[in-house]
Amino acid sequence: QAQLVESGGGLVQAGGSLRLSCANTLSAFSFDSMGWYRQAPGKQRDLVATITNGGNTNYADSVEGRFTISAEHVKNTAYLQMNNLKPEDSAVYYCNAQGHRFGTFRDYWGRGMEVTVSS
């Protein structure tokens, strides 16, 4: 059973927008941070954006000003609004959640979803 349920990926033209969602379905989980990472073919998995429980955000330089990460604590859900998409944004996007469950630190990953930006 998936612990992080991702949605919103797909195909979009350059200059377009997509909104990714990541819902944490685990009970008794309190996240310290949630974030998005991406991996293009033949490349390593890189950070895109993270948000802490306190609302502090961090972005990769390549997406600063175009992407916005947000979170709804009550729903344990994070969002990534991606605007002005470029072909180089094409990758598999993975959601990550770090926090505590039953007093133990946990680090969860989603299964990933494709984002393809056509030129």
Side-chain angles (χ1 to χ4, degrees), residues 10-117:
L11 173 65
V12 65
Q13 287 188 329
S17 298
L18 284 174
R19 188 187 192 215
L20 307 184
S21 298
C22 174
N24 190 325
T25 63
L26 286 166
S27 62
F29 178 76
S30 174
F31 80 87
D32 295 332
S33 69
M34 292 185 76
W36 293 93
Y37 292 74
R38 68 187 181 187
Q39 187 169 18
K43 296 188 177 181
Q44 66 182 20
R45 188 176 299 186
D46 291 325
L47 177 145
V48 176
T50 60
I51 185 167
T52 68
N53 185 284
N56 294 318
T57 57
N58 182 45
Y59 295 94
D61 290 343
S62 59
V63 307
E64 185 85 54
R66 299 187 297 122
F67 291 10
T68 303
I69 189 169
S70 60
E72 287 189 75
H73 299 287
V74 174
K75 296 182 179 180
N76 250 346
T77 299
Y79 306 95
L80 185 68
Q81 178 66 43
M82 306 188 294
N83 297 330
N84 190 22
L85 282 160
K86 303 176 181 180
E88 51 263 43
D89 294 318
S90 298
V92 177
Y93 282 69
Y94 296 89
C95 178
N96 173 258
Q98 298 181 1
H100 291 79
R101 190 165 188 252
F102 302 121
T104 303
F105 177 79
R106 304 295 177 96
D107 186 1
Y108 297 108
W109 289 91
R111 294 175 177 174
M113 55 184 170
E114 287 268 2
V115 170
T116 303
V117 184

